[in-house]
């Protein structure tokens, strides 16, 4: 505990017994300069024990009762630090009984004995993420704050970390009720009085709309508001102030955000916050005294539950980054060590739950003749990418998707909808790849391609992407983006300029899809207009996929309502030719034709933004995905693919597998067997929490708590708090599941004893009781030499998928003892494969470790030997 003069120290009310009165008075020996500052020094006096009279202690304007059940403390978490000079603030108040005598000065000098030693005080910490930092990370954090803020401390009221004084959060987003544009942060607006607001909805009108309007009254939610009675406000007045916190060791004040202080972990205000500067000194002292560093209980991004999806994308991204690093080094002529690689990337699915999309009743009734469903079940998922920046897991990318499986009705069956993508520009390192694009773009592309590949493996056939940029000042997922991160317009979003090639413009999403086609993840891409509105006789709204909040579904609902109210005029206005071309027979068909006509005009203006992706080949004739049977294709005609049914219909002569090109030239057709998953059943981990229930809920949650990403310091703190809420929510969801009667068996990793009940793990296919967490599976190679694990991890209650090596292991003993028969072949499964491996190992002349076939056989024998119980086993190298 630092001291200014002997016997003078800052008060710590938490160290006083509850049955004693505490008196605080300025020490006459204290330096006058310190008394006038907010770090004033005090002389602590402890009264006699025999005075049980209830008294109050007033410190910095706050009343603390001496008989509280818990320990009392001075207010160290405030909206602003105490002002200079103490003017108007009652800093020191002496409270005593008339007959009470003050203890002598020597007792005050011994007040240090009431302060717990370091080990006891350490137990009450754990409110700052900096506690878990290494010395190097603490130094980097402090340096980053100095670079982002003011280097020089202006006065005593500035933050001791960033050098700034009072900082304001951006005001919550307000939108004009007339023009729907966002009201600028420092602009004026007009709003009705609170007493006349109806339906709990706050309406406001921006100054330009208010000034231009000649109306004397406005109507909001059915209530008329007189224009002259509306009150004028300034949006800048809605800004909140960043809160402060005082260090328990040095007494200096910092912004809570700068100190990475977690207010939710100190609700009762009984924990000690230690600033980064004091932590550095403490670490040095601990090293000198061989004392352990305080163990912080903050959980990071890697501690979030893993899923099969996150494991797949994360492993794929790691592999692709290594490939990119080698390609960049080869292209630039640099050493591989000179090409930086992103560190500490963590991808997690933070929300995964089943939902139902309810179709607007008017739209559903509009298509009742075509039996259009009234609802579509789907699974909603939220995917986040974190990168550790200066010791903090910062969220740099977010994606929200909807998965409509094989159990869903048409037209959504086996479809995925990528609803929202969002990112902030804090990804490191800031370098370009071998192709000239930013590494940040490469990573985000690979995440998207990885997700599409995962969906392809599961049996999904089509993906839909709405490439719509947010308006200026609008946020999709993460709240308040950096000012330097400009929001692109639609043209810039689709186009990407390669360095030094200004005339060569690439399409952002098409660039990603070109990579996906090159990697054979995507077979074809088009747009919604060309797929459903051009050159098709089955042009009906019932073929359009329905996604809640999508551009086409929203406008289709509005148009259907409009058409229903004007149906008689529409029938008369449509030409006979239009009706004849669409095979319309009644008024419902006429309405459908008109709907597609009007909707087509809206979509054609921005058709490039509405991307349709084929994950599997689609029949050129019937436009149905080819899921099973034979796929017929032509090598000379790139985009010709026929399903078995359409091939049989077009076959001119039996056995003649050809097609006619332009009515003259015949091309040969080749066949490929298709066998896609019969179901898209998702056996992945279910993760539910209220924070990410929807995009709007998370955005409102972030706005309410001021979890901003406009600066790096705020992005660090916001990511820390979001992770805290996610971990807390996961624990709450787990406990609620148990309390509701859902018995969840505790499953632990056999190697490290980690609880894997709520995440994924690997199960040995030979001894099902042996489980390994993903960390042990990836980092402990010896496990894979002793156990046979599936390629894909599993979750609790779901049996693991088998692998081909299991049949080889089972055939090992049989094949070694098997002798040739009269027919020359053995019907035992994989017997011939194992014999081939044994024969190869006997004649292989390569050096040990140089032949992959011999290495694989050695691994199989090693696994067999570990599980074999026969002491006389005849397998070579088993014993």
């Amino acid at each position: 505990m630092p001291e200014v003069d002997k016997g003078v120290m800052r008060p710590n009310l938490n160290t006083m017994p509850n049955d004693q009165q505490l008196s605080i008075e300025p020490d006459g020996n204290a330096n006058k300069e310190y008394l006038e500052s907010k770090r004033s020094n005090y002389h602590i006096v402890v009264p006699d024990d025999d005075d049980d009279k209830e008294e109050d202690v007033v410190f910095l304007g706050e009343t603390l009762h001496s008989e509280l059940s818990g320990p009392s403390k001075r207010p160290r978490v405030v909206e602003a630090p105490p002002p200079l000079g103490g003017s108007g603030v009652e800093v020191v108040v002496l409270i005593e009984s008339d007959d009470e005598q003050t203890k002598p000065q020597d007792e005050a000098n011994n007040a240090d004995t009431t302060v717990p030693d370091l080990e006891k005080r350490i137990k009450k910490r754990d409110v700052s993420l900096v506690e878990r930092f290494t010395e190097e990370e603490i130094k980097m954090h402090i340096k980053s704050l100095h670079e982002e803020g003011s280097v020089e401390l202006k006065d005593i009221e500035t933050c001791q970390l960033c050098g700034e004084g009072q900082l304001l959060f951006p005001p919550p987003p307000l939108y004009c009720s007339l023009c729907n544009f966002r009201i600028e942060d420092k602009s004026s607006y007009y709003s009705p009085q609170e007493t006349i607001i109806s339906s709990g909805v706050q309406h406001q009108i921006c100054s330009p709309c208010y000034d231009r309007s000649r109306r004397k009254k406005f109507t909001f939610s059915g209530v008329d508001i007189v224009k002259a009675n509306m009150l004028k406000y300034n949006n800048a007045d809605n800004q909140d102030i960043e809160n402060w916190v005082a260090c328990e060791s040095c007494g200096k004040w910092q912004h809570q955000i700068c100190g990475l202080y977690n207010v939710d972990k100190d609700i009762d205000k009984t924990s000690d916050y230690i600033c980064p500067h004091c932590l550095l000194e403490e670490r040095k002292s601990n090293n000198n005294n061989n004392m352990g560093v305080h163990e912080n209980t903050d959980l990071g991004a890697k501690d979030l539950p893993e899923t099969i999806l996150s494991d797949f994308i994360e492993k794929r991204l790691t592999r692709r980054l290594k490939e990119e690093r080698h390609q960049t080094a080869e292209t630039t002529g640099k050493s591989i060590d000179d090409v930086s690689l992103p560190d500490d990337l963590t991808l997690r699915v933070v929300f995964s739950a089943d939902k139902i999309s309810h179709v607007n009743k008017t739209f559903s009734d509009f298509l009742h003749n075509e039996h259009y469903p009234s609802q579509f079940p789907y699974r909603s998922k939220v995917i986040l990418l974190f990168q550790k920046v200066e010791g903090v897991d910062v969220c740099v990318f977010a994606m929200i998707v909807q998965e409509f499986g094989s159990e869903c009705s048409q037209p959504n069956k086996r479809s995925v909808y990528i609803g929202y993508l969002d990112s902030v520009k804090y990804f490191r390192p800031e370098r370009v790849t071998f192709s000239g694009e930013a590494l940040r773009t490469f990573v985000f592309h690979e995440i998207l391609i990885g997700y599409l590949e995962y969906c392809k493996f599961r049996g999904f056939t089509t993906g839909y992407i709405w490439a719509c940029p947010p308006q200026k000042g609008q946020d999709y997922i993460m709240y308040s983006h950096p000012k330097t991160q400009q929001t692109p317009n639609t043209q810039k979003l689709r186009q990407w300029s390669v360095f030094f090639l200004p005339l060569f413009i690439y399409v952002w999403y098409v660039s990603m899809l070109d990579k996906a086609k090159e990697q054979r993840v995507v077979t074809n891409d088009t747009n919604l207009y060309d797929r459903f509105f051009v050159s098709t006789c089955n042009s009906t709204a019932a073929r359009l996929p329905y996604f809640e909040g999508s551009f086409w579904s929203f406008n289709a609902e509005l148009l259907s309502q409009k058409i229903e109210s004007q149906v008689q005029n529409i029938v008369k206005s449509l030409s006979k030719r239009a009706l004849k071309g669409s095979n319309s027979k009644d008024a419902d068909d006429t309405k459908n034709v008109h709907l597609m006509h009007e909707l087509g005009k809206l979509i054609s203006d921005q058709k490039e933004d509405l991307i349709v992706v084929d994950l599997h080949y689609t029949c050129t004739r019937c436009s149905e995905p080819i899921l099973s049977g034979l796929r017929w294709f032509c090598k000379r005609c790139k985009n010709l693919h026929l399903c078995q049914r359409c091939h049989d219909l077009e076959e001119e002569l039996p056995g003649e597998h050809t097609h006619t090109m332009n009515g003259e030239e015949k091309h040969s057709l080749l066949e490929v067997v298709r066998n896609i998953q019969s179901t898209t059943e998702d056996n992945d981990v279910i993760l539910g929490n209220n924070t990410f229930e929807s995009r709007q809920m998370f955005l409102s949650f972030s706005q309410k708590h001021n979890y901003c990403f406009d600066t790096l310091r705020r992005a660090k703190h916001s990511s820390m708090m979001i992770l805290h809420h996610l971990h807390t929510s996961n624990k709450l969801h787990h406990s609620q599941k148990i309390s509701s009667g859902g018995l969840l068996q505790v499953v632990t990793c056999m190697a490290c004893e980690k609880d894997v009940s709520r995440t994924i793990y690997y199960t040995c296919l030979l001894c099902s009781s042996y489980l390994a967490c993903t960390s042990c599976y990836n980092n402990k190679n010896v496990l894979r030499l002793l156990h046979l694990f599936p390629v894909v991890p599993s979750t609790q209650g779901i049996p693991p998928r088998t692998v081909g090596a299991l049949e080889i292991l089972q055939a090992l003993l049989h094949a070694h003892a098997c002798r040739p028969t009269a027919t020359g072949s053995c019907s035992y499964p994989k017997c011939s494969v194992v014999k081939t491996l044994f024969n190869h190992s006997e004649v292989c002349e390569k050096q040990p470790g140089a032949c992959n076939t011999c290495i694989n056989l050695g691994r199989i024998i090693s696994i067999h030997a570990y599980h074999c119980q026969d002491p006389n086993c005849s397998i070579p190298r088993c014993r």
Side-chain angles (χ1 to χ4, degrees):
M1 187 66 64
E3 298 180 1
V4 178
D5 294 317
K6 184 177 180 180
V8 180
M9 56 182 292
R10 67 184 186 86
N12 187 345
L13 305 191
N14 195 38
T15 63
M16 299 303 152
N18 290 336
D19 57 351
Q20 290 184 338
Q21 283 186 316
L22 178 64
S23 172
I24 306 176
E25 61 185 25
D27 191 285
N29 298 324
N31 190 300
K32 184 178 181 181
E33 180 181 351
Y34 276 85
L35 286 175
E36 292 177 349
S37 71
K38 64 186 174 195
R39 295 190 291 123
S40 299
N41 298 277
Y42 303 91
H43 174 78
I44 300 180
V45 180
V46 182
D48 292 331
D49 296 339
D50 56 353
D51 191 353
D52 297 327
K53 187 177 180 180
E54 180 181 353
E55 298 288 348
D56 293 336
V57 177
V58 181
F59 181 83
L60 296 180
E62 182 173 306
T63 302
L64 303 175
H65 296 282
S66 59
E67 292 188 356
L68 291 176
S69 57
S72 303
K73 299 192 70 171
R74 66 182 180 84
R76 56 178 178 75
V77 180
V78 295
E79 291 188 357
L84 292 173
S87 176
V89 180
E90 197 169 3
V91 177
V92 180
V93 175
L94 184 62
I95 301 178
E96 293 182 347
S97 303
D98 293 338
D99 56 344
E100 185 178 8
Q101 300 297 326
T102 306
K103 291 286 183 179
Q105 179 69 28
D106 57 337
E107 289 191 22
N109 292 338
N110 295 328
D112 288 326
T113 58
T114 64
V115 181
D117 58 21
L118 181 61
E119 292 183 352
K120 292 181 179 179
R121 293 195 63 231
I122 280 179
K123 295 180 181 179
K124 298 175 359 185
R125 283 156 47 174
D126 191 24
V127 290
S128 172
L129 186 65
V130 187
E131 295 271 5
R132 67 183 293 176
F133 284 8
T134 62
E135 285 190 38
E136 186 62 28
E137 288 174 338
I138 296 177
K139 293 176 182 178
M140 292 172 58
H141 178 64
I142 295 174
K143 181 181 178 182
S144 174
L145 293 172
H146 284 175
E147 292 175 350
E148 194 169 334
S150 175
V151 178
E152 296 183 1
L153 301 182
K154 300 171 185 176
D155 54 56
I156 200 66
E157 289 196 46
T158 57
C159 173
Q160 302 301 310
L161 294 174
C162 70
E164 295 289 345
Q166 179 175 281
L167 294 178
L168 301 176
F169 288 107
L174 294 178
Y175 294 89
C176 177
S177 301
L178 298 182
C179 66
N180 294 325
F181 281 98
R182 181 170 177 174
I183 299 173
E184 297 291 337
D185 290 352
K186 298 183 180 180
S187 299
S188 299
Y189 65 94
Y190 295 83
S191 180
Q193 299 181 23
E194 293 290 336
T195 54
I196 55 176
I197 295 176
S198 63
S199 305
V201 179
Q202 177 72 51
H203 295 280
Q204 51 273 329
I205 300 176
C206 64
S207 292
C209 289
Y210 184 89
D211 296 336
R212 285 195 303 263
S213 177
R214 297 183 179 180
R215 291 184 288 178
K216 294 184 178 180
K217 63 180 180 179
F218 302 99
T219 302
F220 299 123
S221 303
V223 178
D224 293 334
I225 307 298
V226 179
K227 180 179 179 181
N229 293 339
M230 298 185 72
L231 303 179
K232 185 177 182 179
Y233 299 94
N234 193 299
N235 203 14
D237 297 333
N238 298 325
Q239 294 178 279
D240 292 332
I241 302 173
E242 284 195 18
N243 289 339
W244 297 72
V245 61
C247 174
E248 290 289 341
S249 181
C250 65
K252 295 180 181 179
W253 292 86
Q254 297 104 27
H255 298 114
Q256 292 184 10
I257 290 177
C258 293
L260 294 176
Y261 171 80
N262 189 340
V263 66
D264 289 348
K265 298 182 71 174
D266 193 19
I267 298 177
D268 56 359
K269 303 296 183 294
T270 59
S271 300
D272 290 348
Y273 164 75
I274 307 299
C275 73
H277 288 296
C278 294
L279 278 173
L280 271 179
E281 296 298 325
E282 182 183 287
R283 295 289 167 84
K284 295 176 182 178
S285 175
N286 287 351
N287 291 337
N288 294 335
N289 298 326
N290 295 321
M291 294 179 60
V293 177
H294 173 66
E295 184 177 345
N296 190 286
T297 60
D298 283 291
L299 298 175
K302 291 188 181 296
D303 299 308
L304 289 171
E306 295 178 85
T307 64
I308 300 175
L309 172 58
S310 68
D311 182 70
F312 177 86
I313 299 178
E314 196 172 56
K315 285 182 178 178
R316 187 185 186 281
L317 178 61
T318 302
R319 173 173 53 84
R320 290 290 295 140
L321 282 171
K322 291 180 180 179
E323 293 174 0
E324 183 279 329
R325 188 186 189 192
H326 281 85
Q327 288 175 309
T328 300
E330 186 177 328
T331 304
T332 58
K334 295 181 179 179
S335 168
I336 189 69
D337 297 328
D338 295 332
V339 180
S340 55
L341 193 67
D343 294 328
D344 294 315
L345 292 178
T346 303
L347 188 138
R348 289 292 184 269
V349 176
V350 297
F351 181 84
S352 178
D354 294 324
K355 292 187 175 184
I356 294 178
S357 177
H358 296 277
V359 181
N360 180 277
K361 189 176 186 304
T362 303
F363 185 68
S364 179
D365 295 341
F366 190 90
L367 300 172
H368 70 280
N369 283 349
E370 303 192 50
H371 306 289
Y372 198 77
S374 59
Q375 61 184 28
F376 294 98
Y378 68 96
R379 178 162 290 187
S380 176
K381 293 182 179 179
V382 179
I383 302 171
L384 301 182
L385 175 68
F386 295 89
Q387 184 178 31
K388 183 157 288 188
V389 180
E390 296 159 3
V392 185
D393 289 315
V394 178
C395 182
V396 295
F397 176 83
M399 180 168 68
I400 298 178
V401 298
Q402 298 175 4
E403 299 175 355
F404 298 83
S406 55
E407 75 285 354
C408 185
S409 304
Q410 292 288 8
N412 285 23
K413 188 174 183 179
R414 292 181 181 264
S415 299
V416 294
Y417 175 53
I418 300 176
Y420 295 94
L421 296 177
D422 202 357
S423 66
V424 286
K425 205 171 183 179
Y426 300 124
F427 186 86
R428 298 179 180 180
E430 296 183 8
R431 67 169 177 87
V432 296
T433 64
F434 64 93
S435 63
E437 67 181 356
L439 182 62
R440 172 173 172 259
T441 300
F442 175 86
V443 170
F444 297 164
H445 276 180
E446 290 302 325
I447 292 175
L448 201 52
I449 296 172
Y451 174 72
L452 292 176
E453 185 176 16
Y454 177 80
C455 292
K456 181 176 184 175
F457 288 156
R458 284 184 51 204
F460 289 94
T461 59
T462 315
Y464 296 88
I465 305 173
W466 183 14
C468 176
Q471 297 178 358
K472 182 180 179 181
Q474 184 183 14
D475 299 305
Y476 271 169
I477 302 177
M478 289 177 274
Y479 173 50
S480 186
H481 288 63
K483 299 296 183 183
T484 55
Q485 184 174 340
Q486 298 179 354
T487 302
N489 55 29
T490 303
Q491 188 71 9
K492 286 185 179 180
L493 181 70
R494 292 199 302 261
Q495 296 177 349
W496 190 262
S497 298
V498 177
F499 295 110
F500 311 115
L501 295 175
L503 298 178
F504 209 105
I505 300 177
Y506 285 92
V507 180
W508 195 94
Y509 274 103
V510 173
S511 174
M512 180 273 297
L513 293 175
D514 286 343
K515 297 177 187 177
K517 284 187 282 188
E518 185 180 344
Q519 299 173 32
R520 298 186 178 182
V521 175
V522 171
T523 60
N524 181 49
D525 65 274
T526 181
N527 59 72
L528 195 79
Y529 184 81
D530 293 344
R531 172 64 60 89
F532 295 104
F533 292 87
V534 176
S535 65
T536 173
C537 60
N538 295 323
S539 180
T540 169
R543 293 184 65 236
L544 290 173
Y546 183 92
F547 303 129
E548 215 170 295
S550 66
F551 174 80
W552 59 92
S553 299
F554 175 75
N555 283 282
E557 291 175 350
L558 293 181
L559 287 172
S560 64
Q561 296 175 4
K562 181 180 179 181
I563 292 172
E564 283 289 359
S565 61
Q566 302 173 353
V567 61
Q568 297 299 328
N569 296 330
I570 292 172
V571 174
K572 296 178 182 179
S573 63
L574 284 176
S575 65
K576 294 182 179 180
R577 183 177 180 180
L579 295 176
K580 184 178 179 180
S582 62
N583 298 324
S584 299
K585 297 180 180 180
D586 53 23
D588 287 336
D589 291 337
T590 302
K591 292 187 294 183
N592 204 331
V593 172
H594 185 67
L595 173 62
M596 291 297 288
H597 177 72
E598 294 297 321
L599 187 59
K601 289 194 296 185
L602 290 174
I603 290 178
S604 63
D605 294 336
Q606 49 181 319
K607 64 179 184 179
E608 300 298 334
D609 302 335
L610 309 175
I611 302 172
V612 180
V613 176
D614 291 327
L615 301 178
H616 294 280
Y617 289 102
T618 302
C619 180
T620 309
R621 301 291 185 259
C622 64
S623 299
E624 293 294 330
I626 307 174
L627 301 178
S628 59
L630 297 177
R631 174 177 66 87
W632 297 89
F633 68 98
C634 177
K635 278 190 174 182
R636 300 171 66 181
C637 304
K638 182 179 179 181
N639 295 321
L640 180 70
H641 304 277
L642 298 176
C643 63
Q644 185 66 49
R645 182 171 59 87
C646 292
H647 169 266
D648 294 341
L649 292 175
E650 293 191 5
E651 190 176 27
E652 297 180 0
L653 296 174
E656 184 181 21
H657 307 304
T658 61
H659 80 100
T660 304
M661 183 66 179
N662 298 326
E664 300 178 357
E665 186 179 1
K666 285 190 176 183
H667 293 174
S668 298
L669 293 176
L670 303 177
E671 63 181 78
V672 176
V673 179
R674 302 292 293 166
N675 187 19
I676 299 173
Q677 295 267 4
S678 59
T679 176
T680 60
E681 183 182 6
D682 193 359
N683 294 324
D684 212 343
V685 181
I686 297 294
L687 298 169
N689 59 73
N690 296 329
T691 306
F692 284 95
E693 186 70 28
S694 67
R695 179 190 73 90
Q696 294 85 355
M697 287 186 66
F698 175 68
L699 200 54
S700 300
F701 170 81
S702 300
Q703 292 168 357
K704 176 183 177 182
H705 296 282
N706 285 313
Y707 294 158
C708 306
F709 288 82
D710 54 345
T711 62
L712 179 58
R713 56 187 287 277
R714 285 178 176 171
K716 288 180 180 180
H717 185 267
S718 300
S719 300
M720 177 194 75
M721 296 304 299
I722 290 171
L723 283 170
H724 172 76
H725 284 287
L726 283 172
H727 286 294
T728 304
S729 178
N730 289 339
K731 292 179 181 178
L732 179 62
H733 182 75
H734 181 65
S735 60
Q736 288 177 346
K737 186 175 181 180
I738 295 177
S739 61
S740 61
L743 297 178
L744 191 63
Q745 182 182 0
V746 178
V747 181
T748 58
C749 172
M750 301 296 288
C752 66
E753 299 184 355
K754 173 186 175 182
D755 184 6
V756 293
S757 305
R758 293 172 287 171
T759 184
I760 56 175
Y761 51 83
Y762 291 85
T763 304
C764 179
L765 298 175
L766 298 176
C767 47
S768 58
S769 60
Y770 192 93
L771 309 178
C773 65
T774 56
S775 177
C776 293
Y777 174 83
N778 294 325
N779 300 324
K780 298 181 179 180
N781 295 331
V782 66
L783 293 181
R784 297 197 292 275
L785 295 176
L786 303 178
H787 298 274
L788 181 63
F789 294 108
V791 178
V792 180
S794 57
T795 60
Q796 186 172 351
I798 305 299
R801 295 182 182 180
T802 186
V803 292
L806 181 61
E807 293 183 338
I808 295 178
L809 266 170
Q810 293 170 344
L812 195 63
L813 191 61
H814 165 84
H816 186 258
C818 182
R819 296 293 178 265
T821 60
T823 58
S825 61
C826 178
S827 60
Y828 197 91
K830 301 295 181 180
C831 177
S832 59
V833 176
V834 177
K835 286 181 179 179
T836 303
L837 291 175
F838 275 123
N839 293 335
H840 169 83
S841 64
E842 292 176 357
V843 298
C844 183
E845 297 179 355
K846 291 184 179 180
Q847 295 292 330
C851 177
N852 290 330
T853 303
C854 294
I855 291 174
N856 292 332
L857 177 61
R859 289 176 177 174
I860 293 175
I861 294 177
S862 174
I863 295 174
H864 163 81
Y866 182 76
H867 296 273
C868 183
Q869 302 294 324
D870 185 4
N872 301 317
C873 181
S874 59
I875 300 295
R877 292 175 287 171
C878 177
R879 287 291 178 266

